[in-house]
Amino acid sequence: MTMDVHVRDLRYFVAVAEELHFTRAAELLYVSQPALSKQIRALEKQLGAPVFDRDRHGVRLTPAGEALLPYARRVLEAWQEGAAAVERARAAQRGTLVVGMSTSPGRGGLLPAIRSRFTAAHPHTAVRLRQVGWDDPTAGLADGTSDVAFVWLPLPDEDRYDWTVVAEEPRLVALPEDHPLARRAEIAFADLLDEPFLALPETAGVLRDHWLALDHRAGRPPRVGAEIAGTEETYEALVAGLGVCLVAEGNAPLITLGGVTTRPVRDLAPSRYVLAWRREDGDRPLVRGYARACREVRGAE
């Protein structure tokens, strides 16, 4: 049997298979539910077998759907890896260095200073900044879509990466201005143990644990008031009283807008902000050059 199945069709199939709900899958895919149903029917027609049972009780995978699911996931993963390889090849051909980040480095004009030194040494190289969501703590390093990245430690699979430290900053607690603890000049972490915390997405892994200060809780699980995936979400969740959160001192100005304040926290180790790169890329001239520029700027301060 010969058929041409689009990657889009497999992505739609996997989304429905994981959600077992067409409407929720459509929302995740940013398509309408009728359009999603139409594509699934087209896929089933190509396969010659239904992949879902649909009735008033819900959606279930058929035996054909169960058989297809692991292969569809494998194809999508391979396609993502292939697309990342193409992006790396294009960047190398264009003389482009892709710099990933989840939040702007800020910190006294650090980014333009690094860029100035780097472009002085590599005048024919374009630097492209890439904003990455908080669900990826590597800011594009893990999937190869960034060449270097400004990230927070710890990183998942740390053995894959090298880095140079950009800043080491105390962790503050951000909380609503009318929170009872906001009256204190400094807060002991023990006094925050029963507070609901705002948490990074679960895909952030060890970085989520770091900002929940899991290693300072003596085994007590945190109360998660809400998950946050960006600066604006964090501010809105704080103002709404959904929880408190830890924040690096250098990032405090991003969320201490009206109604939110920060306080120092005793008994917490500081956070480390780094420029990181994949270990196998350490000898690439552009990666090495950007890391050198970063170290020179930090040394000049």
Side-chain angles (χ1 to χ4, degrees):
M1 177 172 57
T2 302
M3 65 182 69
D4 294 317
V5 175
H6 295 288
V7 172
R8 176 195 60 196
D9 298 333
L10 295 180
R11 186 176 295 113
Y12 286 7
F13 162 69
V14 169
V16 177
E18 291 178 346
E19 293 296 321
L20 292 179
H21 195 285
F22 273 79
T23 301
R24 283 200 300 267
E27 290 172 352
L28 289 172
L29 294 165
Y30 298 101
V31 299
S32 67
Q33 191 270 330
L36 175 59
S37 297
K38 180 180 178 181
Q39 290 301 131
I40 294 296
R41 286 195 298 271
L43 175 63
E44 290 174 324
K45 184 176 180 180
Q46 284 186 286
L47 292 171
V51 292
F52 296 111
D53 280 330
R54 313 159 180 82
D55 57 32
R56 60 189 180 86
H57 299 294
V59 178
R60 296 180 305 278
L61 282 164
T62 65
E66 293 276 7
L68 176 62
L69 184 57
Y71 294 98
R73 284 174 169 154
R74 206 174 303 165
V75 168
L76 292 176
E77 183 178 349
W79 178 256
Q80 186 176 16
E81 291 173 356
V86 170
E87 178 61 26
R88 289 195 297 272
R90 289 178 61 207
Q93 188 176 20
R94 295 192 306 264
T96 299
L97 185 78
V98 181
V99 181
M101 62 187 69
S102 53
T103 54
S104 173
R107 291 159 178 82
L110 177 70
L111 198 59
I114 294 173
R115 183 169 189 154
S116 177
R117 285 186 182 247
F118 176 76
T119 54
H122 302 272
H124 301 297
T125 298
V127 176
R128 181 164 72 86
L129 303 180
R130 180 170 178 266
Q131 195 77 26
V132 182
W134 291 2
D135 56 339
D136 177 7
T138 73
L141 292 178
D143 63 10
T145 51
S146 297
D147 299 306
V148 297
F150 290 97
V151 294
W152 292 98
L153 297 183
L155 286 168
D157 302 320
E158 279 195 352
D159 290 345
R160 293 186 58 194
Y161 309 104
D162 285 323
W163 58 77
T164 184
V165 176
V166 172
E168 186 169 287
E169 300 173 350
R171 282 179 281 179
L172 312 179
V173 62
L175 64 173
E177 288 180 342
D178 58 359
H179 193 288
L181 291 175
R183 302 192 199 102
R184 303 184 187 180
E186 187 179 60
I187 300 171
F189 186 70
D191 293 332
L192 296 169
L193 289 176
D194 293 327
E195 293 290 328
F197 266 68
L198 307 181
L200 297 182
E202 290 189 0
T203 52
V206 291
L207 191 60
R208 170 184 166 115
D209 297 344
H210 173 75
W211 293 111
L212 289 173
L214 242 56
D215 56 345
H216 291 75
R217 292 178 178 271
R220 291 178 60 179
R223 291 175 58 203
V224 176
E227 286 195 351
I228 48 174
T231 304
E232 290 184 8
E233 279 186 27
T234 304
Y235 172 73
E236 294 298 336
L238 286 165
V239 171
L242 300 182
V244 303
C245 69
L246 297 177
V247 58
E249 186 176 57
N251 284 347
L254 299 176
I255 57 173
T256 49
L257 309 174
V260 175
T261 189
T262 59
R263 293 290 182 269
V265 181
R266 294 197 302 273
D267 314 317
L268 281 187
S271 53
R272 286 191 295 164
Y273 193 54
V274 303
L275 175 75
W277 55 90
R278 289 176 295 276
R279 187 161 288 176
E280 67 265 23
D281 291 342
D283 290 330
R284 287 178 54 198
L286 298 184
V287 170
R288 193 168 61 244
Y290 198 87
R292 183 186 305 113
C294 182
R295 284 191 290 266
E296 289 173 352
V297 169
R298 297 300 298 146
E301 292 182 354

